[in-house]
Amino acid sequence: MSDDISLSLEEIKQLKSIEQNNHQLCSLSSYVIQEPIGRGQFSTAYRAYCKFIGRDVALKKISLWNMVDSKSRQDCVKEAHLLQKLNHRYIIGYLAAFIEGSELNIALELADAGDLSKMINCFSNLGYLMPEKTIWKCVLQISSGIDYMHAQKIMHRDIKPANVFLNSKNGVKLGDLGIARYFSPETSIVHSFLGTPYYMSPERIQEQGYDFKSDIWSFGCLIYEMAALQSPFHSRQMNLSHIYQRIENVNYPPIPADLYSDELRGLIRVCLEKEMKKRPDSKQVHAIAEEMWHEFNKSS
């Protein structure tokens, strides 16, 4: 690991190219920073009022100097560039990115109603199951965002309830692309050990090559969690090797047939296929969600 904490000329060039596209938004003086709304290893996200556009935004402040290796800083630059590439109604919107002092600042659309993990916990604490129509609405919107990302050759790599944000209009937004990976036309398989353990696919745990179908596995875990109100591979032991063993064996309690439809349980089952090739792709998942959303609306 390098002890060089200065930005390279190439990193500075990349960041300057981001700044040039959003002059008016690229100054901290344009923002009134309010309370923190999230924290990461090197970053803190704040609610902030943007004076230039006249509304609240999420301002993610990333401390570049706390990253002792250049790769971590380059990953931050890549995140900003990835966000610039994406424009979709179910993905958190990008506004601007700029350096001020020793921090990279990324201004994002604010999802003002928490995240899906809090919604799941709310149902669990109340002792209620999430209505299936609500689940299909979330699946429809999230799958639309995932399909768009995959069409852009971008893999999320950390799909989980805490990274799905809610807005006051009862919609969901896929966010936190900090470890998203862009696939060039020449690249279809990657090797890395990133993500959240409960939502990691067997091929990632085994450190085999993985592709977009790994996102589908994580999405299957998320759908299961909306129905069961806990992760399919939840373990009281909180032991990583035990969790990994359950994932590798695809060992999870089935969703009871009397609680949810065959279609929902079937979608979870195919998304959690051990073999990548047997899982549906994002387009197929979205088509199933569209059909089921139509059926629920027709019968209501």
Side-chain angles (χ1 to χ4, degrees):
M1 187 174 289
S2 171
D3 58 0
D4 176 17
I5 61 172
S6 62
L7 289 173
S8 69
L9 289 175
E10 183 58 31
E11 289 172 318
I12 293 172
K13 182 180 176 183
Q14 288 176 312
L15 287 165
K16 291 296 182 185
S17 72
I18 297 171
E19 294 179 22
Q20 290 167 5
N21 294 326
N22 300 278
H23 293 292
Q24 300 93 336
L25 297 174
C26 290
S27 169
L28 278 180
S29 62
S30 294
Y31 302 89
V32 179
I33 297 176
Q34 302 166 27
E35 71 275 8
I37 54 176
R39 296 185 187 277
Q41 184 179 2
F42 299 111
S43 65
T44 303
Y46 296 89
R47 176 187 287 266
Y49 178 75
C50 179
K51 293 181 279 187
F52 181 72
I53 61 175
R55 61 185 171 92
D56 284 349
V57 300
L59 187 66
K60 187 174 183 179
K61 298 176 71 64
I62 302 165
S63 176
L64 296 172
W65 304 144
N66 286 339
M67 301 178 187
V68 296
D69 63 303
S70 62
K71 183 181 183 303
S72 296
R73 297 194 300 272
Q74 288 167 0
D75 286 344
C76 290
V77 174
K78 288 176 183 176
E79 177 181 1
H81 280 300
L82 281 175
L83 291 166
Q84 282 183 305
K85 292 174 181 288
L86 300 175
N87 182 20
H88 191 272
R89 64 186 298 189
Y90 299 126
I91 295 176
I92 291 291
Y94 164 92
L95 297 172
F98 57 96
I99 288 180
E100 196 151 320
S102 63
E103 293 179 320
L104 169 62
N105 299 271
I106 303 178
L108 302 162
E109 173 187 6
L110 178 69
D112 52 3
D115 60 50
L116 190 56
S117 67
K118 292 177 182 176
M119 180 177 171
I120 290 170
N121 287 336
C122 182
F123 275 98
S124 180
N125 291 336
L126 291 172
Y128 296 131
L129 291 174
M130 192 178 295
E132 185 162 343
K133 184 176 180 179
T134 301
I135 295 176
W136 281 117
K137 181 179 180 181
C138 291
V139 173
L140 177 69
Q141 295 179 353
I142 299 167
S143 64
S144 179
I146 295 172
D147 188 45
Y148 171 80
M149 284 187 69
H150 287 186
Q152 307 300 310
K153 301 296 183 184
I154 295 173
M155 191 175 160
H156 190 286
R157 298 203 295 179
D158 199 20
I159 294 171
K160 59 183 179 182
N163 286 342
V164 175
F165 300 94
L166 313 176
N167 60 34
S168 56
K169 297 179 181 178
N170 297 318
V172 300
K173 299 262 187 177
L174 189 58
D176 205 343
L177 309 181
I179 61 171
R181 168 63 182 257
Y182 177 76
F183 282 70
S184 70
E186 295 78 29
T187 307
S188 60
I189 298 288
V190 294
H191 295 77
S192 69
F193 200 63
L194 297 171
T196 305
Y198 280 132
Y199 308 93
M200 290 176 69
S201 61
E203 60 271 14
R204 293 181 68 185
I205 287 172
Q206 294 163 0
E207 298 191 69
Q208 300 171 354
Y210 62 93
D211 62 15
F212 297 101
K213 295 291 186 72
S214 186
D215 271 353
I216 299 302
W217 171 280
S218 301
F219 191 32
C221 292
L222 183 151
I223 301 168
Y224 180 101
E225 191 163 340
M226 285 192 287
L229 304 180
Q230 69 174 27
S231 162
F233 304 105
H234 174 77
S235 171
R236 293 182 182 275
Q237 296 182 30
M238 295 302 291
N239 181 294
L240 272 182
S241 62
H242 180 70
I243 295 168
Y244 291 163
Q245 186 178 43
R246 292 190 63 185
I247 292 171
E248 288 173 334
N249 295 326
V250 197
N251 177 17
Y252 63 90
I255 300 292
D258 59 335
L259 298 182
Y260 291 104
S261 68
D262 291 343
E263 289 81 3
L264 183 65
R265 292 182 299 110
L267 179 58
I268 292 169
R269 186 171 58 253
V270 295
C271 287
L272 296 182
E273 280 282 354
K274 184 171 183 176
E275 293 183 41
M276 283 193 298
K277 292 180 180 179
K278 292 184 178 180
R279 295 174 210 152
D281 60 26
S282 55
K283 197 168 295 296
Q284 291 169 317
V285 173
H286 186 58
I288 292 169
E290 278 189 314
E291 182 178 349
M292 291 305 298
W293 179 244
H294 176 73
E295 286 298 315
F296 270 88
N297 279 324
K298 189 171 64 175
S299 60
S300 60

